Every structure is written in structure tokens, then in C-alpha cells.
């Protein structure tokens, strides 16, 4: 394990031509203090966790003091935002310090988010507020706990510097780790500019770093597009299965590695509603929960267009056509697992659909209902009352139970509950849980709730008796929580 000054930086993105980024230092953050530190993420970059108790730790992860081999830069990209192409975006408030090679040989981007104005800031102030930094910090670790690919979060550093949003808030810097921060929009910017040589340079860079098995293949660009397509299809299925809504699925927020990243107004669905919109700034529901799978494909089509100078049109179509079947297969497998079914059989899609329809009608909590299904007793004389009582339409429930029971007879029943509990989380990051942590942090500089949630959400499938109340459906006051693009 390394001390701060020993971190093993190896900065590959900084070696790309200047067109791809702007070099700059973070803007100093006044009187920074450590809000939370995530030892699990520290392991990813071989950082000795005891370093977090150094008096100057916050100075380092506010960007006020840089590690010796960092080469700070902001990345250039463009993107389709709510359907409209914006030719120039880029890290408007993030700075990549560089990449760290860990003992396992993996290269991790280390990025400060909220570290001040950059050449891509447009009208923005370059800052992130404590509230949204806490949400991203907790959600990325919650997603990791759920087994869903995501960027990670090393720590949050706060400051009393004021930041103006709908109200006055305070600034924070989140240190984010990811195998890559390259987005669909990183390619789109060069397609728009007609700089096709840069598209090839970036594709070659990404392939060499992340898809080395493709390097010598004559069809490497098509195969790269295919990998991104398959990963995105799987990611969308994972989001849908766990009830996660990203909120801002612009192409600049879509990772070429199929990671969940750029957490903003995300939300985990509570009462089941396919049209669930988590983002208050998206009244039309472009990014509603049930739109996500098709938006994934829409975004891939934008990405494919940016790669079109490198791939024959016919091959692009072949790849994009593979998205829907891949998505449906992953989704069906995930839903089958949630019902304790080891494989997908012919009428299973109908079985999921009718359960979801009943859940919608009864406004049942998506997470808790699936979790409680683990206790379903499949013997013919069992009444399953605690479950049955939750549904308004008991006759529909009884009919569904008859099909489910019949279907379970085709399964090896041993350890069904254990299998179901391993895929149906007990704990998710509910908005009200995040809100409680945020309020304690903002009002009293009490960060204990953040740490408690970090620990809990790291093991979302394990029942933790003393934490039972954290699985509760939202209290009445939580209806007032509004999350928007403002962060
Ligand atoms: P997002 O929707 O958060 O991914 O942001 C879209 C774009 O706006 C990205 O290029 C961000 O870097 C940029 N951005 C968001 N908030 C700010 C801010 N406060 N200051 C500067 N740029 C920002
Ligand atoms: Mg973004």
C-alpha cells in the first residue's frame, strides 16, 4: 500500500495530442475538510487508508496540493443533451489528475469533480455542491454493491465556500475513480468537426487500453462498437432490473465501458411505476424509467455515427441490430433470477409482466416486494397472506400465484430463497435516506450518516437486523424532495 506521495501515476490520456484536452490546475478550495473517505475505493489505487487521517489529506483531494506525478487536465467532449446536439461540452468542473496503475495491473483514472472553472465551463462556476457530491458518492458505491458497473468514489472534501444554485449551498470536491472517463460524446466532438483522424486516434487509444484483444483485428472498430453495444445493453438491463433511473442519459454521460456514471438527478424507483421520472428538470419524461432501454440504443446510434468514418454502414447496422435482442435476453435473465428461476422459459415474460402490472396497480415498493417474494411458500395449501394482503386485486394475485407455483415446480427448489436474496436487494439508496445524510452534513457538519449508508449499501443483499428501518418505504415528508439537474 502506498503513501500519498508514492501513488503510481502513469498518465496515458495526457499523452494524447493537445486537441483532446486542456491542461490546467484545480482552483484552490478555501479551508477544505474531509467529509468522507471510502477505504474500499482506496484499495483500487493501492492507497494506504491510514493516509486519510493525515492533517493535509483534504488539501490533496481538494486539488489545493497535487501529487508529484499528476498531470491535471480537463477532457474535451460534445454530446446530445435531451436530444439536441451540443458541439462543445467537456469537463466543465472536473479535472483528471491522471491514471494510477495498481498492483493488479489495472489503470484507474483519478478525477476531481467540482474543482473549479475549466475552458469548458461555459456559464458554470466549475463547482459541485455538497448535496450532489454526497448523492453521487453514495450512489456509485451502492451501484457497485449491487454488482452494477459504475465509476467509484474515493472521498468527498468540503468547504464553506458558497455556491449559488436554487439556494445558497456549499462547495465540495468528489474524487472519482473509473477505468475510463471516455464517453460517447468524446467521439462525437470530432465527427462534428470533421476531424476523422482524431476519431481514429481516440478509438485506437481506447482499444489499446480497454479492449487489447481487438488491437490486431482487421475489424477492430466494428468489434469495438459491438463491445460498447453489448455492454450498454447489459447495463440497461441491470438498471431496469434494480429499478434505477439515471435521469440524464445524454450521450456525454454514456461511458464507452458501459459504466454508470455522471450521477445527477438519479433515483431508485420506490412505488412501481414504469413511467417514473426521477429528474424534476425532465417534465416530458425523455429519460423516464421505461424509456431507458430505447434511449440506450438511441445514444449508441449517435456513437455509431461518430465512428462511421471508420466502419462500413452495413456493419454498423448489424451491430446496432444486436442491441435489442441482447437487452431483452439480459433483462429476462435478470427478472427470472429475481423470481428465483434459474433459466428463462417460454411463458416467463408473461409472468414478469403480470406481476409488474399488479404491482403498479397496488403501488407496491419495487425493491421490497421482490425481496419479500423470497419468502413465497410454493406448497399448494400455503396462503402467503403477508404477500397477498399487499395487492388490491386479490383475484388477480391468486391467478398469478397459480402460474408462479406451477412454474416453480419446474425448478430445483433447493435454496430458492438464498438465490433470490442474492439478487433482490434489501437496501437501496432511497432519496429520503440520502436526504437525511445530506441534512445532517449541511446543518451540523455531522458526516456519520454518510459513513453509515456507505457501509450499509456496500452490502445491499445482506439482512442487517439493526438496520431494518433503512429498508422502509419513504416517509410522508420525502414526497417534497425534488432532484433536478442543478448540482
Ligand atoms: P451534467 O449534466 O452534469 O453531466 O453536465 C453537463 C455539462 O455541463 C458537463 O460538460 C459538465 O461538466 C458541465 N457542468 C455541469 N455543472 C457545471 C458547473 N457547475 N460548472 C461548469 N460546468 C458544469
Ligand atoms: Mg456529464
Amino acid at each position: 500500500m502506498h503513501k500519498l506521495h508514492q501513488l503510481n501515476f502513469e498518465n496515458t490520456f495526457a499523452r494524447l495530442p493537445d486537441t483532446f484536452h486542456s491542461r490546467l490546475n484545480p482552483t484552490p478550495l478555501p479551508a477544505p475538510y474531509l467529509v468522507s473517505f471510502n477505504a474500499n475505493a482506496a484499495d483500487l489505487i493501492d492507497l494506504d487508508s491510514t493516509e486519510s487521517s493525515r492533517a493535509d489529506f483534504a488539501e490533496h483531494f481538494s486539488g489545493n496540493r497535487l501529487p508529484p506525478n499528476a498531470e491535471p487536465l480537463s477532457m474535451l467532449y460534445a454530446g446530445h443533451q435531451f436530444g439536441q446536439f451540443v458541439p462543445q461540452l467537456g469537463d466543465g468542473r472536473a479535472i483528471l489528475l491522471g491514471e494510477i496503475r495498481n498492483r493488479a495491473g489495472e489503470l484507474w483514472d483519478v478525477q476531481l469533480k467540482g474543482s473549479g472553472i475549466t475552458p469548458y465551463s461555459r456559464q458554470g462556476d466549475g463547482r459541485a455542491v455538497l448535496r450532489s457530491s454526497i448523492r453521487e458518492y453514495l450512489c456509485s458505491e451502492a451501484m457497485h454493491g449491487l454488482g452494477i458497473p459504475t465509476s467509484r468514489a474515493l472521498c468527498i472534501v468540503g468547504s464553506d465556500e458558497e455556491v449559488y444554485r436554487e439556494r445558497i449551498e456549499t462547495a465540495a470536491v468528489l474524487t472519482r475513480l473509473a477505468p475510463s472517463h471516455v464517453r460517447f460524446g468524446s467521439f462525437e466532438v470530432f465527427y462534428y468537426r470533421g476531424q476523422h483522424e482524431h476519431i481514429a486516434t481516440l478509438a485506437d487509444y481506447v482499444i489499446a487500453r480497454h479492449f487489447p484483444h481487438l488491437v490486431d483485428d482487421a475489424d477492430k472498430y466494428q468489434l469495438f462498437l459491438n463491445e460498447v453495444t453489448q455492454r450498454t445493453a447489459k447495463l440497461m438491463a441491470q438498471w431496469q432490473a434494480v429499478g434505477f433511473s439515471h435521469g440524464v442519459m445524454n450521450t456525454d454521460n454514456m461511458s464507452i465501458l458501459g459504466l454508470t456514471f455522471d450521477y445527477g438527478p438519479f433515483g431508485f424507483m420506490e412505488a412501481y411505476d414504469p413511467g417514473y421520472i426521477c429528474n424534476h428538470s425532465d417534465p416530458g419524461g425523455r429519460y423516464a424509467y421505461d424509456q431507458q432501454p430505447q434511449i440506450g440504443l438511441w445514444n449508441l446510434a449517435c456513437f455509431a455515427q461518430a465512428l462511421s468514418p471508420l466502419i462500413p454502414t452495413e456493419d454498423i447496422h448489424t451491430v446496432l441490430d444486436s442491441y435489442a435482442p441482447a437487452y431483452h435476453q439480459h433483462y429476462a435473465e435478470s427478472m427470472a433470477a429475481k423470481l428465483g428461476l434459474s433459466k428463462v422459459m417460454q411463458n416467463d415474460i408473461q409472468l414478469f409482466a403480470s406481476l409488474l402490472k399488479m404491482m403498479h396497480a397496488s403501488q407496491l415498493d419495487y425493491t421490497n416486494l421482490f425481496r419479500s417474494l423470497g419468502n413465497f411458500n410454493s406448497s399448494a395449501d400455503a396462503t402467503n397472506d403477508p404477500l397477498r394482503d399487499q395487492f388490491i386485486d386479490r383475484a388477480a394475485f391468486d391467478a398469478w400465484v397459480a402460474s408462479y407455483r406451477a412454474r416453480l415446480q419446474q425448478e430445483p427448489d433447493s435454496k430458492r430463497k438464498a438465490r433470490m436474496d442474492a439478487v433482490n436487494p434489501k437496501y437501496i439508496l432511497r432519496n429520503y435516506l440520502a436526504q437525511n445524510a445530506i441534512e445532517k452534513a449541511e446543518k451540523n457538519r455531522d458526516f456519520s450518516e454518510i459513513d453509515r449508508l456507505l457501509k450499509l449499501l456496500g452490502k445491499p443483499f445482506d439482512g442487517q437486523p439493526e438496520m431494518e428501518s433503512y429498508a422502509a418505504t419513504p416517509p410522508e415528508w420525502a414526497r417534497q424532495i425534488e432532484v433536478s439537474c442543478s448540482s
Side-chain angles (χ1 to χ4, degrees):
M1 284 296 162
H2 292 147
K3 301 284 170 196
L4 274 178
H5 67 276
Q6 298 169 319
L7 287 173
N8 189 21
F9 276 94
E10 208 176 283
N11 304 327
T12 65
F13 201 84
R15 300 283 77 74
L16 287 171
D18 287 345
T19 335
F20 290 81
H21 44 65
S22 295
R23 294 177 195 277
L24 80 169
N25 283 333
T27 306
L29 185 72
Y33 48 83
L34 183 61
V35 171
S36 185
F37 172 77
N38 179 10
N40 290 333
D43 284 347
L44 299 172
I45 54 169
D46 296 342
L47 174 64
D48 179 348
S49 288
T50 61
E51 289 285 90
S52 66
S53 48
R54 285 166 64 133
D56 63 352
F57 187 82
E59 285 290 324
H60 281 90
F61 289 95
S62 56
N64 292 358
R65 202 171 296 171
L66 293 178
N69 299 315
E71 293 179 75
L73 59 84
S74 289
M75 296 164 80
L76 169 73
Y77 48 83
H80 280 83
Q81 297 195 311
F82 290 90
Q84 302 298 315
F85 186 68
V86 184
Q88 152 112 47
L89 291 164
D91 292 329
R93 51 171 169 172
I95 290 182
L96 179 71
L97 293 182
E99 299 117 62
I100 291 180
R101 173 91 57 198
N102 69 14
R103 284 172 302 177
E106 301 159 346
L107 210 48
W108 284 88
D109 281 12
V110 181
Q111 193 201 60
L112 304 181
K113 182 170 176 182
S115 50
I117 286 179
T118 80
Y120 313 116
S121 295
R122 300 181 293 165
Q123 309 330 318
D125 58 10
R127 289 298 184 199
V129 297
L130 180 61
R131 166 181 53 88
S132 65
S133 304
I134 293 172
R135 284 173 47 85
E136 168 155 3
Y137 181 79
L138 292 175
C139 196
S140 52
E141 292 308 302
M143 293 297 264
H144 177 68
L146 291 165
I148 300 178
T150 175
S151 59
R152 302 292 300 277
L154 177 70
C155 60
I156 304 175
V157 167
S159 164
D160 291 342
E161 181 175 274
E162 291 186 342
V163 177
Y164 301 89
R165 298 292 182 260
E166 277 93 6
R167 59 184 172 95
I168 298 178
E169 303 188 44
T170 59
V173 172
L174 173 83
T175 300
R176 182 156 78 169
L177 307 179
S180 172
H181 283 86
V182 176
R183 308 131 198 277
F184 292 7
S186 310
F187 289 88
E188 290 179 280
V189 66
F190 298 122
Y191 179 76
Y192 175 82
R193 293 178 179 180
Q195 295 173 328
H196 294 178
E197 69 286 8
H198 293 329
I199 301 174
T201 301
L202 187 60
D204 287 339
Y205 166 80
V206 168
I207 291 169
R209 182 169 160 192
H210 304 287
F211 305 97
H213 56 290
L214 303 181
V215 167
D216 295 321
D217 204 298
D219 298 324
K220 62 182 174 180
Y221 299 123
Q222 182 194 344
L223 294 171
F224 165 49
L225 176 62
N226 185 56
E227 294 250 10
V228 180
T229 302
Q230 299 310 313
R231 288 185 188 214
T232 305
K234 183 166 185 195
L235 182 69
M236 292 306 115
Q238 290 179 297
W239 285 2
Q240 297 308 107
V242 80
F244 176 79
S245 256
H246 181 282
V248 196
M249 285 181 68
N250 294 335
T251 56
D252 49 298
N253 291 337
M254 296 291 293
S255 150
I256 49 102
L257 297 182
L259 309 172
T260 315
F261 81 172
D262 268 16
Y263 292 87
F266 65 82
F268 282 89
M269 190 155 59
E270 297 187 301
Y272 179 71
D273 171 11
Y276 169 60
I277 302 169
C278 58
N279 179 0
H280 200 71
S281 318
D282 180 23
R286 178 181 169 86
Y287 299 136
Y289 168 76
D290 62 357
Q291 300 302 301
Q292 297 186 128
Q294 71 191 54
I295 289 289
L297 178 59
W298 194 94
N299 289 343
L300 281 163
C302 295
F303 176 58
Q305 183 182 40
L307 292 180
S308 62
L310 308 178
I311 310 173
T313 310
E314 215 176 296
D315 295 339
I316 287 185
H317 286 297
T318 307
V319 173
L320 293 179
D321 286 348
S322 71
Y323 175 86
Y327 166 75
H328 287 296
Q329 189 192 332
H330 287 302
Y331 180 71
E333 284 170 3
S334 305
M335 295 308 286
K338 288 175 81 66
L339 288 182
L341 309 174
S342 56
K343 57 177 181 296
V344 184
M345 292 177 65
Q346 190 144 40
N347 297 323
D348 289 350
I349 307 290
Q350 193 50 47
L351 195 67
F352 317 147
S354 43
L355 174 62
L356 291 174
K357 199 170 156 216
M358 291 188 303
M359 286 167 60
H360 188 201
S362 299
Q363 299 189 31
L364 297 186
D365 186 85
Y366 184 79
T367 303
N368 289 354
L369 191 280
F370 275 102
R371 182 74 180 189
S372 67
L373 264 185
N375 298 320
F376 179 77
N377 183 338
S378 63
S379 60
D381 52 356
T383 53
N384 287 296
D385 281 341
L387 194 60
R388 187 175 187 268
D389 292 348
Q390 297 181 57
F391 290 88
I392 295 168
D393 186 345
R394 304 277 155 82
F397 178 77
D398 292 341
W400 184 82
V401 162
S403 333
Y404 185 40
R405 192 181 282 139
R407 176 65 184 81
L408 285 175
Q409 274 159 14
Q410 296 167 286
E411 287 288 327
D413 200 46
S414 70
K415 307 211 176 85
R416 176 166 55 84
K417 177 170 163 55
R419 277 189 284 124
M420 290 172 78
D421 283 358
V423 292
N424 292 319
K426 170 105 181 169
Y427 303 106
I428 51 164
L429 181 60
R430 296 175 184 275
N431 271 341
Y432 81 86
L433 296 177
Q435 194 60 30
N436 283 336
I438 290 165
E439 281 176 16
K440 281 192 173 171
E442 286 181 340
K443 288 197 184 118
N444 310 325
R445 268 207 200 187
D446 172 358
F447 308 129
S448 59
E449 191 63 17
I450 303 174
D451 295 337
R452 190 169 300 120
L453 285 174
L454 186 71
K455 189 161 167 246
L456 177 76
L457 298 169
K459 295 195 182 303
F461 300 107
D462 297 358
Q464 302 177 37
E466 71 289 359
M467 300 298 278
E468 193 63 32
S469 64
Y470 285 74
T473 52
E476 198 52 37
W477 63 262
R479 284 176 194 272
Q480 274 128 45
I481 303 172
E482 279 176 5
V483 285
S484 69
C485 281
S486 158
S487 61

